[in-house]
Amino acid sequence: MPVADHARYCEMLDRARNGKFAYPAINVTSLTTANAVLTGLAESKSDGIIQISTGGAAFASGASVKDMALGAISIAEHVHRVAERYPVYVAMHTDHCQADKLDKYVIPLVEETERRRAAGKPNLFNSHMFDGSALTLKENLDIAIKLLERFRKNDLILEIEAGVVGGEEDGIKASAAAKLYTTPEDTLEVARRLNEVRGARYLLAATFGNVHGVYKPGHVKLKPSILKDCQDAVVKKYGEAARFYLVFHGGSGSELHDIHEAVDYGVVKMNIDTDTQYAFTRAIAEHFFKNYDGVLKVDGEVGNKKAYDPRSYLGFAETALAERVKQAVKDLRATGTTMVK
Ligand SMILES: [Zn+2]
């Protein structure tokens, strides 16, 4: 199917919240990882979201170019071309963009969207995240409102974050004193300010102890009930129409009961990076360990071209990543939910 357009993406999000399931949003950094996500979604008969972080996008543009906007556009153009061959809908999203990176990432991507729309072409992206969680909530929302007004004109959905996701992603490490649990008061303020931009849509990453990365059991204390408290508060004050569409960051390594509870409270998108990174690399490691004298030229031998051809191990990695995506879809109760008839 073609990449979801704005109307279809909105419908995807509505269906998820009403149906109490969520879409996996998988970080990709290459053609191979993007193809793997499409395969995993297609085999699960689930629509889903492909996302690109600032670091992933810079990587995709090439080590000597390191242009994050260019890399994101490049992956998105690829997905738009190949998505047609998969019987599900996928939406394109960009992950965490801190305020100091907006001018290098989200803004050039919005400008690209504006150019494309002026030329009568479809958007490459459906949504972008602005991560102002390191700022005060007021500063965060001041920037978010400006973005949201521009996004509305371009059929783009904004994702913002209130509270801080712990751990480390893309080399950005949350401080130990960071506010890992969003409060209902914070989210009421989000609704009060952002809902003034009539007709715009946004997703809220409200944090409930989420941590990027995977840790041994016991290190992460998720409190999904915080999400319910936030939803109850916003519906009480502003009515049912203000109910949030929530995003679960740091989904990797989470326990199933926490995932299900969060989805019950309105999570429609769960970000997964670490677990899919591991699945991808594990398959490569297995190939290298099993074929040590094939991938390397040992003791004057010549190795085995079939074993060191990158297509061999990247093919295994693609399959392994697709399998992990299928697991994520299942965990999020999305199997079989595609809108494709
Ligand atoms: Zn995140």
Side-chain angles (χ1 to χ4, degrees):
M1 288 292 143
V3 169
D5 61 12
H6 181 60
R8 210 171 295 276
Y9 187 36
C10 290
E11 197 184 342
M12 276 171 62
L13 301 173
D14 292 342
R15 287 177 86 247
R17 210 184 61 184
N18 295 337
K20 294 207 188 308
F21 66 91
Y23 299 106
I26 311 286
N27 285 71
V28 306
T29 56
S30 63
L31 303 193
T32 304
T33 46
N35 295 343
V37 176
L38 288 165
T39 298
L41 292 173
E43 291 183 358
S44 306
K45 296 186 168 49
S46 169
D47 306 318
I49 300 165
I50 287 179
Q51 63 186 17
I52 310 162
S53 70
T54 52
F59 175 84
S61 74
S64 60
V65 175
K66 286 194 183 133
D67 178 332
M68 43 183 85
L70 180 65
I73 288 169
S74 170
I75 289 182
E77 285 186 335
H78 167 75
V79 172
H80 275 260
R81 284 178 182 275
V82 299
E84 309 257 358
R85 305 288 181 94
Y86 297 83
V88 288
Y89 289 109
V90 65
M92 292 302 303
H93 175 80
T94 58
D95 202 6
H96 292 268
C97 181
Q98 291 80 13
D100 63 345
K101 294 204 184 94
L102 283 173
D103 286 338
K104 283 191 183 150
Y105 198 43
V106 166
I107 297 300
L109 292 176
V110 174
E111 287 167 352
E112 173 71 13
T113 297
E114 288 168 343
R115 271 193 295 276
R116 291 177 62 92
R117 294 171 72 85
K121 294 185 192 166
N123 287 9
L124 277 180
F125 284 91
N126 301 81
S127 50
H128 303 286
M129 180 185 191
F130 159 58
D131 177 359
S133 62
L135 310 172
T136 65
L137 186 60
K138 182 181 182 304
E139 292 167 329
N140 182 347
L141 294 176
D142 285 346
I143 296 173
I145 283 189
K146 283 208 188 79
L147 288 171
L148 193 58
E149 281 164 352
R150 191 165 176 186
F151 277 31
R152 176 182 54 182
K153 293 182 197 133
N154 289 292
D155 285 346
L156 289 167
I157 293 178
L158 175 68
E159 179 180 328
I160 66 150
E161 179 167 321
V164 173
V165 181
E168 180 175 340
E169 186 174 68
D170 247 18
I172 310 278
K173 203 167 191 272
S175 94
K179 193 175 168 187
L180 299 181
Y181 301 95
T182 310
T183 63
E185 291 71 33
D186 288 345
T187 57
L188 282 177
E189 183 63 4
V190 169
R192 184 181 75 82
R193 301 222 28 217
L194 296 193
N195 292 356
E196 277 179 19
V197 188
R198 301 272 168 216
R201 282 191 73 149
Y202 65 91
L203 304 168
L204 173 63
T207 59
F208 52 102
N210 325 50
V211 172
H212 289 132
V214 169
Y215 300 86
K216 286 185 178 168
H219 278 247
V220 179
K221 287 264 177 294
L222 286 180
K223 290 188 201 161
S225 60
I226 286 176
L227 302 178
K228 182 177 190 302
D229 296 342
C230 293
Q231 295 283 32
D232 289 350
V234 82
V235 168
K236 189 171 173 219
K237 182 140 192 188
Y238 296 109
E240 186 57 41
R243 184 180 290 281
F244 294 115
Y245 291 79
L246 298 170
V247 183
F248 185 154
H249 278 251
S252 292
S254 299
E255 300 210 32
L256 201 55
H257 66 93
D258 285 329
I259 294 174
H260 286 170
E261 197 180 344
V263 170
D264 284 340
Y265 300 147
V267 162
V268 293
K269 169 178 181 276
M270 184 171 91
N271 294 358
I272 303 165
D273 192 3
T274 310
D275 280 348
T276 42
Q277 286 176 335
Y278 180 74
F280 191 80
T281 300
R282 196 195 182 289
I284 294 173
E286 185 174 314
H287 174 80
F288 283 9
F289 286 131
K290 275 189 184 160
N291 299 281
Y292 180 77
D293 53 1
V295 295
L296 296 178
K297 296 179 179 178
V298 179
D299 296 336
E301 291 297 322
V302 295
N304 176 356
K305 181 172 161 53
K306 278 201 176 69
Y308 62 72
D309 181 335
R311 287 172 298 182
S312 63
Y313 54 86
L314 288 178
F316 296 133
E318 183 178 336
T319 303
L321 204 171
E323 287 302 316
R324 187 60 188 81
V325 170
K326 287 160 74 174
Q327 177 66 45
V329 168
K330 191 163 165 258
D331 292 349
L332 293 165
R333 306 187 189 123
T335 309
T337 59
T338 178
M339 290 195 291
V340 176
K341 295 288 174 274

